[in-house]
Amino acid sequence: MFFSIGFSQDKKLVTVHRAMELMGSRFDITVVSANEDLGYINIEEATAEIQRIENMISSWKPDSETSLINANAGIKPVKVSAEMFMLIERAKKLSEITDGAFDISFASMDEIWSFDGSMVRMPSKKEIENSVKRVGYEKIILDSSEKTVFLAEKGMKISFGAIGKGYAADKAKELLVSKQVLGGIINAAGDLTTWGTKATGEKWLIGIANPLSEEKIFSWLPIVESSVATSGNYEKYVVFNGVKYSHIIDPRTGYPSTGINSVSIFAKSAEICDALATAVYILGKKEGLALINQLGDTEAILVDDSNKVHKSSGILLNN
């Protein structure tokens, strides 16, 4: 996923950019500002907001709310912040509309697949069946009056790997908009959200990468007050008996996804884009596009394993 940044010809506005490591990934934050100093202050404020969210949702931090929920799986409900409760509530709703293709309890899966080149055989059918026994969003029990979260089975875990970076990008954007930052892009490792315009007044452009080469663009799309996320198998996959298995595993079956090279989702919220990119990748071309065409203000571009492009009803491609 690529984007263009416009540098101002108007002396009143400048474009300020910084790249950094946050949430275990590269974040690029770009803002349009009256001057460089103010722009860098804005970026620091956005960074602090992303770090706050990481401290709340990271399963790597032992004192995060996620870690407390996971540590008490099958034992007792855990009282959480209203923000965390609402995030999990939205995640469960996304699980419902995607028929479980998106599921934050995917973290409960046994790691029987490896995509670092070390796998020499397919896992057995029994191993795969066992790997998903503790997965199931319906086993995440929410109590809205007490604001508690309970994982019904011991060994269950939740993780926000397929929604967290999008949520963090949304929250950072929300903060900057509240501070009257005129425009910008937050790119959270490919989960990208924009507002306003470039310093030149032009629209932000994002390029849809060719799945056979991340360096090549096959379409540029303008995005206004919008977000996009992409899931793809550019690098992480294994091949057995001539079938290419992606690193994106269906939490319902334990089998890696096949048939799709990449999915890009366009919507207002980066959180929604992040979650649906994974879900549509797993659902595949027919089911995935049928779902997107039923949702309002959401579009998708899919590239199948024959490198053929498919799109939802509202997308017009300019190649």
Side-chain angles (χ1 to χ4, degrees):
M1 193 56 58
F2 299 84
F3 58 87
S4 70
I5 297 172
F7 288 89
S8 179
Q9 296 170 353
D10 180 346
K11 289 180 183 175
K12 292 178 184 175
L13 294 175
V14 296
T15 304
V16 181
H17 166 261
R18 182 173 286 165
M20 64 209 82
E21 186 87 4
L22 295 164
M23 301 178 79
S25 301
R26 175 176 163 139
F27 273 65
D28 289 87
I29 303 176
T30 303
V31 297
V32 174
S33 181
N35 61 69
E36 277 197 6
D37 289 345
L38 181 59
Y40 283 120
I41 289 168
N42 292 146
I43 288 173
E44 283 171 15
E45 290 171 329
T47 301
E49 176 67 352
I50 293 162
Q51 288 169 331
R52 181 189 70 80
I53 290 159
E54 181 178 15
N55 288 335
M56 179 180 78
I57 68 173
S58 172
S59 52
W60 299 103
K61 295 181 182 290
D63 56 349
S64 73
E65 293 189 61
T66 301
S67 293
L68 292 173
I69 292 165
N70 290 344
N72 287 282
I75 301 168
K76 64 177 182 180
V78 174
K79 196 167 183 66
V80 297
S81 63
E83 182 179 12
M84 182 65 148
F85 188 87
M86 288 188 290
L87 177 60
I88 295 173
E89 201 171 42
R90 292 195 303 276
K92 280 197 72 173
K93 284 176 183 169
L94 283 162
S95 294
E96 288 166 13
I97 67 167
T98 61
D99 193 29
F102 170 82
D103 190 336
I104 59 171
S105 74
F106 78 92
S108 311
M109 276 194 282
D110 296 333
E111 294 182 15
I112 58 170
W113 296 88
S114 177
F115 300 91
D116 60 3
S118 62
M119 281 190 82
V120 293
R121 65 167 184 89
M122 277 271 288
S124 70
K125 187 179 177 184
K126 191 69 178 169
E127 285 173 320
I128 293 169
E129 285 173 359
N130 287 337
S131 74
V132 293
K133 275 188 173 174
R134 292 183 299 276
V135 177
Y137 67 90
E138 67 284 348
K139 293 184 277 193
I140 304 170
I141 313 300
L142 301 180
D143 184 327
S144 54
S145 60
E146 296 293 323
K147 292 287 185 289
T148 61
V149 182
F150 178 52
L151 305 184
E153 292 182 18
K154 281 202 169 186
M156 270 189 79
K157 293 177 189 173
I158 58 170
S159 167
F160 296 93
I163 195 173
K165 287 190 287 293
Y167 176 63
D170 282 340
K171 292 297 286 184
K173 170 182 167 178
E174 186 183 304
L175 176 70
L176 294 178
V177 169
S178 77
K179 292 181 174 293
Q180 283 82 49
V181 177
L182 295 172
I185 288 185
I186 297 168
N187 184 354
D191 300 334
L192 186 147
T193 191
T194 73
W195 72 100
T197 62
K198 298 180 190 179
T200 57
E202 297 169 284
K203 293 174 182 175
W204 300 106
L205 291 174
I206 75 113
I208 303 299
N210 184 321
L212 299 183
S213 171
E214 285 195 82
E215 302 305 314
K216 293 180 181 175
I217 298 292
F218 67 67
S219 186
W220 285 96
L221 296 170
I223 51 173
V224 182
E225 310 293 335
S226 191
S227 304
V228 60
T230 297
S231 286
N233 63 358
Y234 301 109
E235 294 169 351
K236 296 181 182 177
Y237 60 88
V238 290
V239 179
F240 290 116
N241 301 320
V243 179
K244 187 177 181 180
Y245 294 94
S246 153
H247 72 287
I248 299 172
I249 296 172
D250 188 335
R252 303 167 299 182
T253 65
Y255 282 88
S257 301
T258 60
I260 299 287
N261 278 347
S262 77
V263 174
S264 294
I265 302 289
F266 302 82
K268 290 288 182 190
S269 149
E271 174 188 314
I272 293 286
C273 292
D274 197 359
L276 288 180
T278 304
V280 171
Y281 193 103
I282 287 165
L283 289 169
K285 179 179 67 179
K286 189 175 177 182
E287 276 188 80
L289 286 178
L291 170 65
I292 296 300
N293 285 330
Q294 289 171 44
L295 299 175
D297 301 320
T298 308
E299 302 295 342
I301 296 174
L302 282 72
V303 182
D304 66 21
D305 55 3
S306 301
N307 214 31
K308 188 177 177 186
V309 180
H310 308 269
K311 58 190 178 60
S312 57
S313 53
I315 289 277
L316 299 172
L317 278 177
N318 297 313
N319 291 313

